[in-house]
Amino acid sequence: MKRLILLLAVFAALLAPAAASAHPLGNFTINRFSRVEVSGHRLYVLYVLDLAEIPTFQAGNIDARAYAHRIAQNVHLTVAGRPAPLVVLGQALAHPPGAGGLRTTRLEVVLAGPTIAGPARLAYHDANYADRIGWKEVVVGAHSPSRSDELRAYPKDMLSSPLDVTSTTAEVTPGSGPDRPPALSHGKLLEAPDRIADSGFASLVGRSHLSLLVILASLAAAMFWGAAHALSPGHGKTIVTAYLVGQRGTPKHAALLGLIVTATHTVGVFALGLVTLALSQFIVPDRLYPWLNLVSGLLVVGIGASVLRTRWRRHRHDHHHHHHHHEHPTSFRSLLAVGVSGGLLPCPSALVVLLAAISLHRVAFGLLLIVAFSAGLALSITGVGLAAVVARSAFRRATFEGRLVRLLPAASALVILAAGLAMTLRAVPKVS
């Protein structure tokens, strides 16, 4: 019974992370903040744009004035039901350092609206970057608090579900003081927002001196970060464990899964890098992640259904042959599907390393780091698979629990199917 409890505990520990978000897309985000306020008799908007590393890399050289006018064209203000044009008064641009030696962008723009003679009802809507993920915040009033300190410090408890406010309505009245537009930030306040970046792995590509010892140490560190990343929520650990238990997997199968995960993740990073560099005008890279999540979920559903069908057929076969249990080979096709589902989602930090390597003219070094990172990720998943194989073998020798042993393969198939359905249901709303 102790072995049963141990194996069930392994399943429970691995199932919980599977329901969590695998990759917070911090390096992809385009974040916007608007403050609508009245000074004297005039309406103003302070608009802040914060581009993370990958959008900044894609943008290249940013013309602050052109961006400011584009922003003004895509914010819509109405006063007393009538459209109110906004005019650019000024802008301030900075490129705070980000992960992997890449830059981020902070652009502040002051927009002037109409004057108001008395109390008026306004409606504001920000239509900039409507199809991009990120923090979206609108406040009314010069002294109204911002939950992100105007995109300088994002609340850590909201990173997995960032604020998504692009419109507001309010009653405003003219002030008694002079007409003063909002002030733009300067110096440290403009250049150093408190961004949250995964710089452990990404910082490796920016090493100043690349001696043989430094390269070897960097590759070892990349493998460590890959292994640590695989132990974070997601990455198919539940599916791998349940699959190897349900299909009577061997250490050879666990090792093959690791190779497939390494190859899939590496190819995925390179493919997403190609999209970022060459096709971003047609395909928004961060919009590919929900589709990849959907494909992964459907793959896992197919795997679970296949394993469940196989277990049912084996049960019927064993029942009609006097309950003799036979070993059945694990198909390479199903192994390939499990491995692909575990490595299909490229880590955003790995993409940052690739782009940083291109900008630093260290492409070969960046590719080696990504392969090492993928290998570390695969080693962790392979280790989980080997643990499942060993646990299943040890548990199988407990003949006094034979009935429970026979139930485990079917239970593992249900675990895979449930995990795949959960992944699919989470992905469907994001691709619609």
PDB file of all heavy atoms in Angstrom, residues 250-275:
ATOM      1  N   THR A 250      10.008   2.073 -21.046  1.00  0.00           N
ATOM      2  CA  THR A 250      11.328   1.628 -20.571  1.00  0.00           C
ATOM      3  C   THR A 250      12.256   2.836 -20.478  1.00  0.00           C
ATOM      4  O   THR A 250      11.940   3.915 -20.996  1.00  0.00           O
ATOM      5  CB  THR A 250      11.920   0.604 -21.547  1.00  0.00           C
ATOM      6  OG1 THR A 250      12.173   1.263 -22.802  1.00  0.00           O
ATOM      7  CG2 THR A 250      10.964  -0.567 -21.767  1.00  0.00           C
ATOM      8  N   PRO A 251      13.415   2.686 -19.823  1.00  0.00           N
ATOM      9  CA  PRO A 251      14.386   3.786 -19.825  1.00  0.00           C
ATOM     10  C   PRO A 251      14.757   4.246 -21.229  1.00  0.00           C
ATOM     11  O   PRO A 251      15.011   5.432 -21.461  1.00  0.00           O
ATOM     12  CB  PRO A 251      15.584   3.190 -19.088  1.00  0.00           C
ATOM     13  CG  PRO A 251      14.981   2.181 -18.155  1.00  0.00           C
ATOM     14  CD  PRO A 251      13.826   1.589 -18.925  1.00  0.00           C
ATOM     15  N   LYS A 252      14.767   3.329 -22.179  1.00  0.00           N
ATOM     16  CA  LYS A 252      15.061   3.707 -23.569  1.00  0.00           C
ATOM     17  C   LYS A 252      13.997   4.656 -24.101  1.00  0.00           C
ATOM     18  O   LYS A 252      14.294   5.639 -24.792  1.00  0.00           O
ATOM     19  CB  LYS A 252      15.131   2.454 -24.430  1.00  0.00           C
ATOM     20  CG  LYS A 252      15.411   2.732 -25.901  1.00  0.00           C
ATOM     21  CD  LYS A 252      15.441   1.446 -26.692  1.00  0.00           C
ATOM     22  CE  LYS A 252      15.641   1.727 -28.191  1.00  0.00           C
ATOM     23  NZ  LYS A 252      15.631   0.468 -28.986  1.00  0.00           N
ATOM     24  N   HIS A 253      12.747   4.382 -23.780  1.00  0.00           N
ATOM     25  CA  HIS A 253      11.666   5.267 -24.221  1.00  0.00           C
ATOM     26  C   HIS A 253      11.787   6.643 -23.575  1.00  0.00           C
ATOM     27  O   HIS A 253      11.554   7.668 -24.227  1.00  0.00           O
ATOM     28  CB  HIS A 253      10.312   4.650 -23.859  1.00  0.00           C
ATOM     29  CG  HIS A 253      10.019   3.383 -24.588  1.00  0.00           C
ATOM     30  ND1 HIS A 253       9.370   2.317 -23.997  1.00  0.00           N
ATOM     31  CD2 HIS A 253      10.301   2.992 -25.863  1.00  0.00           C
ATOM     32  CE1 HIS A 253       9.262   1.342 -24.875  1.00  0.00           C
ATOM     33  NE2 HIS A 253       9.820   1.721 -26.012  1.00  0.00           N
ATOM     34  N   ALA A 254      12.147   6.677 -22.292  1.00  0.00           N
ATOM     35  CA  ALA A 254      12.320   7.959 -21.600  1.00  0.00           C
ATOM     36  C   ALA A 254      13.441   8.770 -22.244  1.00  0.00           C
ATOM     37  O   ALA A 254      13.326   9.987 -22.429  1.00  0.00           O
ATOM     38  CB  ALA A 254      12.606   7.728 -20.125  1.00  0.00           C
ATOM     39  N   ALA A 255      14.560   8.102 -22.602  1.00  0.00           N
ATOM     40  CA  ALA A 255      15.672   8.798 -23.246  1.00  0.00           C
ATOM     41  C   ALA A 255      15.271   9.314 -24.621  1.00  0.00           C
ATOM     42  O   ALA A 255      15.633  10.430 -25.024  1.00  0.00           O
ATOM     43  CB  ALA A 255      16.874   7.865 -23.359  1.00  0.00           C
ATOM     44  N   LEU A 256      14.498   8.513 -25.372  1.00  0.00           N
ATOM     45  CA  LEU A 256      14.049   8.937 -26.703  1.00  0.00           C
ATOM     46  C   LEU A 256      13.135  10.147 -26.594  1.00  0.00           C
ATOM     47  O   LEU A 256      13.205  11.076 -27.413  1.00  0.00           O
ATOM     48  CB  LEU A 256      13.332   7.779 -27.389  1.00  0.00           C
ATOM     49  CG  LEU A 256      12.854   8.023 -28.835  1.00  0.00           C
ATOM     50  CD1 LEU A 256      14.025   8.426 -29.725  1.00  0.00           C
ATOM     51  CD2 LEU A 256      12.160   6.787 -29.384  1.00  0.00           C
ATOM     52  N   LEU A 257      12.278  10.159 -25.578  1.00  0.00           N
ATOM     53  CA  LEU A 257      11.429  11.322 -25.346  1.00  0.00           C
ATOM     54  C   LEU A 257      12.270  12.575 -25.129  1.00  0.00           C
ATOM     55  O   LEU A 257      11.949  13.652 -25.632  1.00  0.00           O
ATOM     56  CB  LEU A 257      10.526  11.095 -24.131  1.00  0.00           C
ATOM     57  CG  LEU A 257       9.231  10.320 -24.362  1.00  0.00           C
ATOM     58  CD1 LEU A 257       8.534  10.045 -23.037  1.00  0.00           C
ATOM     59  CD2 LEU A 257       8.308  11.091 -25.281  1.00  0.00           C
ATOM     60  N   GLY A 258      13.364  12.437 -24.361  1.00  0.00           N
ATOM     61  CA  GLY A 258      14.249  13.576 -24.128  1.00  0.00           C
ATOM     62  C   GLY A 258      14.839  14.112 -25.415  1.00  0.00           C
ATOM     63  O   GLY A 258      14.910  15.335 -25.625  1.00  0.00           O
ATOM     64  N   LEU A 259      15.261  13.231 -26.308  1.00  0.00           N
ATOM     65  CA  LEU A 259      15.824  13.661 -27.593  1.00  0.00           C
ATOM     66  C   LEU A 259      14.777  14.395 -28.431  1.00  0.00           C
ATOM     67  O   LEU A 259      15.069  15.417 -29.066  1.00  0.00           O
ATOM     68  CB  LEU A 259      16.356  12.441 -28.357  1.00  0.00           C
ATOM     69  CG  LEU A 259      17.634  11.802 -27.814  1.00  0.00           C
ATOM     70  CD1 LEU A 259      17.962  10.528 -28.591  1.00  0.00           C
ATOM     71  CD2 LEU A 259      18.800  12.775 -27.886  1.00  0.00           C
ATOM     72  N   ILE A 260      13.553  13.869 -28.431  1.00  0.00           N
ATOM     73  CA  ILE A 260      12.494  14.502 -29.222  1.00  0.00           C
ATOM     74  C   ILE A 260      12.174  15.884 -28.665  1.00  0.00           C
ATOM     75  O   ILE A 260      11.975  16.852 -29.431  1.00  0.00           O
ATOM     76  CB  ILE A 260      11.242  13.609 -29.240  1.00  0.00           C
ATOM     77  CG1 ILE A 260      11.544  12.294 -29.964  1.00  0.00           C
ATOM     78  CG2 ILE A 260      10.079  14.322 -29.925  1.00  0.00           C
ATOM     79  CD1 ILE A 260      10.442  11.258 -29.836  1.00  0.00           C
ATOM     80  N   VAL A 261      12.110  16.015 -27.338  1.00  0.00           N
ATOM     81  CA  VAL A 261      11.835  17.315 -26.719  1.00  0.00           C
ATOM     82  C   VAL A 261      12.939  18.311 -27.074  1.00  0.00           C
ATOM     83  O   VAL A 261      12.666  19.472 -27.409  1.00  0.00           O
ATOM     84  CB  VAL A 261      11.701  17.179 -25.189  1.00  0.00           C
ATOM     85  CG1 VAL A 261      11.682  18.552 -24.522  1.00  0.00           C
ATOM     86  CG2 VAL A 261      10.437  16.419 -24.831  1.00  0.00           C
ATOM     87  N   THR A 262      14.214  17.882 -27.003  1.00  0.00           N
ATOM     88  CA  THR A 262      15.331  18.766 -27.345  1.00  0.00           C
ATOM     89  C   THR A 262      15.206  19.276 -28.775  1.00  0.00           C
ATOM     90  O   THR A 262      15.313  20.477 -29.041  1.00  0.00           O
ATOM     91  CB  THR A 262      16.669  18.024 -27.181  1.00  0.00           C
ATOM     92  OG1 THR A 262      16.804  17.590 -25.830  1.00  0.00           O
ATOM     93  CG2 THR A 262      17.839  18.933 -27.522  1.00  0.00           C
ATOM     94  N   ALA A 263      14.982  18.349 -29.712  1.00  0.00           N
ATOM     95  CA  ALA A 263      14.899  18.733 -31.122  1.00  0.00           C
ATOM     96  C   ALA A 263      13.696  19.649 -31.365  1.00  0.00           C
ATOM     97  O   ALA A 263      13.804  20.666 -32.059  1.00  0.00           O
ATOM     98  CB  ALA A 263      14.804  17.481 -31.993  1.00  0.00           C
ATOM     99  N   THR A 264      12.555  19.314 -30.777  1.00  0.00           N
ATOM    100  CA  THR A 264      11.342  20.102 -31.001  1.00  0.00           C
ATOM    101  C   THR A 264      11.503  21.523 -30.468  1.00  0.00           C
ATOM    102  O   THR A 264      11.160  22.502 -31.140  1.00  0.00           O
ATOM    103  CB  THR A 264      10.133  19.431 -30.334  1.00  0.00           C
ATOM    104  OG1 THR A 264       9.990  18.104 -30.837  1.00  0.00           O
ATOM    105  CG2 THR A 264       8.859  20.217 -30.609  1.00  0.00           C
ATOM    106  N   HIS A 265      12.022  21.651 -29.237  1.00  0.00           N
ATOM    107  CA  HIS A 265      12.164  22.979 -28.642  1.00  0.00           C
ATOM    108  C   HIS A 265      13.171  23.827 -29.409  1.00  0.00           C
ATOM    109  O   HIS A 265      12.942  25.017 -29.644  1.00  0.00           O
ATOM    110  CB  HIS A 265      12.593  22.855 -27.175  1.00  0.00           C
ATOM    111  CG  HIS A 265      12.613  24.162 -26.447  1.00  0.00           C
ATOM    112  ND1 HIS A 265      13.760  24.910 -26.302  1.00  0.00           N
ATOM    113  CD2 HIS A 265      11.627  24.876 -25.864  1.00  0.00           C
ATOM    114  CE1 HIS A 265      13.471  26.012 -25.632  1.00  0.00           C
ATOM    115  NE2 HIS A 265      12.194  26.021 -25.356  1.00  0.00           N
ATOM    116  N   THR A 266      14.291  23.219 -29.826  1.00  0.00           N
ATOM    117  CA  THR A 266      15.317  23.968 -30.566  1.00  0.00           C
ATOM    118  C   THR A 266      14.765  24.454 -31.908  1.00  0.00           C
ATOM    119  O   THR A 266      14.924  25.623 -32.271  1.00  0.00           O
ATOM    120  CB  THR A 266      16.555  23.092 -30.793  1.00  0.00           C
ATOM    121  OG1 THR A 266      17.051  22.630 -29.529  1.00  0.00           O
ATOM    122  CG2 THR A 266      17.653  23.871 -31.488  1.00  0.00           C
ATOM    123  N   VAL A 267      14.121  23.562 -32.641  1.00  0.00           N
ATOM    124  CA  VAL A 267      13.541  23.943 -33.931  1.00  0.00           C
ATOM    125  C   VAL A 267      12.467  25.010 -33.730  1.00  0.00           C
ATOM    126  O   VAL A 267      12.354  25.960 -34.517  1.00  0.00           O
ATOM    127  CB  VAL A 267      12.955  22.707 -34.643  1.00  0.00           C
ATOM    128  CG1 VAL A 267      12.135  23.120 -35.864  1.00  0.00           C
ATOM    129  CG2 VAL A 267      14.074  21.765 -35.056  1.00  0.00           C
ATOM    130  N   GLY A 268      11.677  24.888 -32.652  1.00  0.00           N
ATOM    131  CA  GLY A 268      10.640  25.875 -32.375  1.00  0.00           C
ATOM    132  C   GLY A 268      11.198  27.263 -32.130  1.00  0.00           C
ATOM    133  O   GLY A 268      10.642  28.261 -32.603  1.00  0.00           O
ATOM    134  N   VAL A 269      12.301  27.344 -31.375  1.00  0.00           N
ATOM    135  CA  VAL A 269      12.932  28.641 -31.125  1.00  0.00           C
ATOM    136  C   VAL A 269      13.435  29.254 -32.427  1.00  0.00           C
ATOM    137  O   VAL A 269      13.228  30.445 -32.701  1.00  0.00           O
ATOM    138  CB  VAL A 269      14.096  28.499 -30.123  1.00  0.00           C
ATOM    139  CG1 VAL A 269      14.868  29.814 -29.990  1.00  0.00           C
ATOM    140  CG2 VAL A 269      13.567  28.081 -28.749  1.00  0.00           C
ATOM    141  N   PHE A 270      14.094  28.436 -33.269  1.00  0.00           N
ATOM    142  CA  PHE A 270      14.607  28.951 -34.538  1.00  0.00           C
ATOM    143  C   PHE A 270      13.462  29.401 -35.453  1.00  0.00           C
ATOM    144  O   PHE A 270      13.560  30.437 -36.115  1.00  0.00           O
ATOM    145  CB  PHE A 270      15.441  27.881 -35.254  1.00  0.00           C
ATOM    146  CG  PHE A 270      16.701  27.505 -34.518  1.00  0.00           C
ATOM    147  CD1 PHE A 270      17.363  26.320 -34.808  1.00  0.00           C
ATOM    148  CD2 PHE A 270      17.211  28.318 -33.516  1.00  0.00           C
ATOM    149  CE1 PHE A 270      18.520  25.961 -34.134  1.00  0.00           C
ATOM    150  CE2 PHE A 270      18.371  27.971 -32.831  1.00  0.00           C
ATOM    151  CZ  PHE A 270      19.025  26.793 -33.145  1.00  0.00           C
ATOM    152  N   ALA A 271      12.381  28.625 -35.481  1.00  0.00           N
ATOM    153  CA  ALA A 271      11.246  28.985 -36.332  1.00  0.00           C
ATOM    154  C   ALA A 271      10.601  30.289 -35.855  1.00  0.00           C
ATOM    155  O   ALA A 271      10.260  31.159 -36.668  1.00  0.00           O
ATOM    156  CB  ALA A 271      10.216  27.855 -36.337  1.00  0.00           C
ATOM    157  N   LEU A 272      10.447  30.438 -34.529  1.00  0.00           N
ATOM    158  CA  LEU A 272       9.860  31.669 -34.009  1.00  0.00           C
ATOM    159  C   LEU A 272      10.804  32.851 -34.238  1.00  0.00           C
ATOM    160  O   LEU A 272      10.360  33.979 -34.486  1.00  0.00           O
ATOM    161  CB  LEU A 272       9.554  31.514 -32.521  1.00  0.00           C
ATOM    162  CG  LEU A 272       8.615  32.559 -31.907  1.00  0.00           C
ATOM    163  CD1 LEU A 272       7.284  32.580 -32.630  1.00  0.00           C
ATOM    164  CD2 LEU A 272       8.414  32.292 -30.428  1.00  0.00           C
ATOM    165  N   GLY A 273      12.101  32.595 -34.169  1.00  0.00           N
ATOM    166  CA  GLY A 273      13.064  33.645 -34.489  1.00  0.00           C
ATOM    167  C   GLY A 273      12.942  34.096 -35.932  1.00  0.00           C
ATOM    168  O   GLY A 273      13.015  35.299 -36.235  1.00  0.00           O
ATOM    169  N   LEU A 274      12.727  33.155 -36.845  1.00  0.00           N
ATOM    170  CA  LEU A 274      12.538  33.500 -38.262  1.00  0.00           C
ATOM    171  C   LEU A 274      11.289  34.345 -38.444  1.00  0.00           C
ATOM    172  O   LEU A 274      11.293  35.346 -39.184  1.00  0.00           O
ATOM    173  CB  LEU A 274      12.433  32.216 -39.089  1.00  0.00           C
ATOM    174  CG  LEU A 274      12.158  32.407 -40.587  1.00  0.00           C
ATOM    175  CD1 LEU A 274      13.309  33.159 -41.256  1.00  0.00           C
ATOM    176  CD2 LEU A 274      11.938  31.054 -41.265  1.00  0.00           C
ATOM    177  N   VAL A 275      10.208  33.979 -37.743  1.00  0.00           N
ATOM    178  CA  VAL A 275       8.975  34.766 -37.827  1.00  0.00           C
ATOM    179  C   VAL A 275       9.221  36.176 -37.303  1.00  0.00           C
ATOM    180  O   VAL A 275       8.781  37.169 -37.895  1.00  0.00           O
ATOM    181  CB  VAL A 275       7.853  34.073 -37.022  1.00  0.00           C
ATOM    182  CG1 VAL A 275       6.655  35.006 -36.859  1.00  0.00           C
ATOM    183  CG2 VAL A 275       7.419  32.789 -37.719  1.00  0.00           C
TER     184      VAL A 275
END
